[in-house]
Amino acid sequence: MPRRIIMCFSVLFLFLIGSVNGAATPAVLQKDDDHVSHAAFRHPVIIIDAGHGGIDGGTSADDLLEKNINLAISQKMYLMLKSKGYAVVLNRNGDYALSDDNTWLKSRSRHLKDLAQRKALSEELPSEIIVSIHINWSKKEKSHGPVVLHQREGKSYMLAESIQSSLNTMYQTDRQVEWGKPFYLLNYVKKPAVIVEAGFISNLQDREMLRSSRGQKKIAEAISAGIIYYLSVL
Ligand SMILES: [Zn+2]
């Protein structure tokens, strides 16, 4: 049910973009969707990729599942950016696997179908940047703090630096961005994309931040601030 809503939104969204860029009539721009249409026209489209979902829980610790934290942070980011007038799309708005929506890729790998579906959505929409939200894990319990992974490309690097800097300030850490060489999304998405590892679920302090709604809000605010700064200097 939720993913049907997302798809409906995608179609509506594409309609609005098409109206703005193509033969837009004043009636379209001046009706109820005026705010959305203008936002889509003035600002680039930000895709928030909420990592994992459904059968794919991602990493975990205690009763905490990465997929749920990713979704909570992503939903908060969506509302924050939308409230500031940015055109933003969230690709998962509930607990389900995006691989279930992928009926076009002939592969037995659910994991590959999931990732390919995320990539396809970034191409279906007039996306400017893709920000994928994940949580880290390490066997070293002391490993902590945010790490932003980038493509081997300048804009992705700049976006990663901006988000990393904002998260470092919030976490009071000094971690560096990394090239996400092995990651499908970073290799195959053509627009600037980053993977935000928003903290370590294996670290006690990070875990308390990731678990609480207040902590998730702080993380969402820091990532959103990094995105806004990147867009303002581009
Ligand atoms: Zn993950």
Side-chain angles (χ1 to χ4, degrees), residues 51-52 56-59 66-67 70 133-136 183 195 197:
H52 309 282
D56 175 10
T59 190
E66 179 191 352
K67 64 176 182 178
N70 293 341
I133 306 300
H134 286 262
I135 305 301
N136 228 333
F183 292 95
I195 294 175
E197 299 280 5

Side-chain angles (χ1 to χ4, degrees), residues 159-178:
L159 176 59
E161 280 283 352
S162 186
I163 296 172
Q164 183 73 60
S165 170
S166 184
L167 281 169
N168 275 341
T169 302
M170 191 276 292
Y171 262 103
Q172 295 187 303
T173 50
D174 190 27
R175 296 199 69 123
Q176 303 294 309
V177 298
E178 295 175 15

